[in-house]
Every structure is written in C-alpha cells, then in structure tokens.
Amino acid sequence: MSALERQVQQLKTEGKAALARHDFEGARDVLSQAIALNASSHKLFRLRSVAYACLQEYTASLEDAEKVISLQPNSTDGYYHKGFALYHQKDYSGAAHAFQEGLKLNPSDRVLRQGFWDAVTLLSQHRVCLPMRYQVAEGKETEIDLEGGDS
C-alpha cells in the first residue's frame, strides 16, 4: 500500500468515526480531504453523501450520490442515497425513480422498497391535496380544485 493510499484510508477511518459520533461537519471535512486525494472511490462519496444528508445539505448529498452511481452503477448504494436526498427535497417522483432503479439491481432490498412506496405515497397525496395550476391563454394563472369543492 502506497503512502497516498494509507493517507486516504486513514482519512476514511476518521470520517467513519466522525459519523459514528455524530460529528457530521467533521466527517464531511475529513471525507472531502480524502476525496481530494482519491476522487475515484465510490465509498468515499457514499460516506460524504451520508454526512451531507445528516447536515440536511440535500443538494450536496444528491451530487455525491450521483457520483457514487457513476463510479459504481451496479451497486444499490448510490440509488438509495439519491432517492433519500430527492425525497427530502420533496422531489417524490425523482425519489421514487431512484429507489426503483436500485430495486432493478436488487428486487428484494427492503429499504429501497420502503423508500419507493413512501415516495409514491407522498407523490399521490401531493397531487391530490394541492390545487393543480395551469396557464390560460391570457397568461393568467387559474386553479382547479381537485378536492371537488363547491365553486
């Protein structure tokens, strides 16, 4: 193992320890250092995606999840973290799609399946509970009440 590989491994170990003690900013920072030394490790991006999610930095978590997918497309990890980030950004359709992509790789994964159904449920509730908006010819916005209320 080279000196660089040992340094990356040490930073990864420190990042995992920081996550375990809920020092999410510390984990993010240490894992960012490791990624600067080895930007081809899907495991480093996965761990940093977790740190970002714990900090509620879902855009950054999503970016790292997408990097995990590009580096390791046959693993469900990236799809789970992508779905998780999109779910928390309230992009339920995108989340359901990400979880579904993961399920294509491992149809028996309970966590992906639960994420998929949670996203689908919220997507259907979101579509039913909120008024649908559209643009009319004059450029005015009009609401359609999908609840069936009296007009």
Side-chain angles (χ1 to χ4, degrees):
M1 181 181 283
S2 73
L4 178 64
E5 290 170 328
R6 279 193 300 276
Q7 186 178 8
V8 168
Q9 186 60 40
Q10 177 61 35
L11 290 168
K12 179 181 169 187
T13 300
E14 289 176 26
K16 286 175 141 181
L19 284 171
R21 63 177 187 273
H22 296 196
D23 176 9
F24 305 123
E25 290 178 354
R28 176 200 58 208
D29 296 344
V30 169
L31 292 165
S32 293
Q33 291 173 29
I35 288 169
L37 298 173
N38 181 4
S40 63
S41 171
H42 71 280
K43 293 178 182 180
L44 293 174
F45 282 101
R46 180 181 57 78
L47 288 168
R48 192 173 69 174
S49 179
V50 170
Y52 279 130
C54 291
L55 292 167
Q56 298 180 354
E57 296 178 18
Y58 299 115
T59 300
S61 180
L62 175 60
E63 290 171 5
D64 278 2
E66 288 176 338
K67 188 68 173 176
V68 172
I69 292 167
S70 72
L71 292 169
Q72 194 74 16
N74 294 323
S75 170
T76 59
D77 287 346
Y79 296 104
Y80 170 76
H81 292 290
K82 180 177 181 176
F84 186 87
L86 290 168
Y87 181 92
H88 286 281
Q89 290 179 326
K90 298 186 183 345
D91 179 355
Y92 304 123
S93 176
H97 180 73
F99 291 129
Q100 186 176 41
E101 289 300 306
L103 285 166
K104 287 179 184 176
L105 297 172
N106 184 359
S108 63
D109 188 306
R110 292 181 189 175
V111 175
L112 287 169
R113 185 168 304 286
Q114 185 64 53
F116 172 78
W117 285 113
D118 287 349
V120 167
T121 298
L122 286 174
L123 180 62
S124 67
Q125 289 174 358
H126 186 72
R127 286 187 175 163
V128 170
C129 295
L130 295 178
M132 184 166 50
R133 298 179 182 270
Y134 68 96
Q135 299 291 324
V136 293
E138 296 94 32
K140 296 179 183 174
E141 192 170 74
T142 305
E143 292 185 8
I144 298 174
D145 182 8
L146 297 178
E147 298 287 320
D150 296 328
S151 305

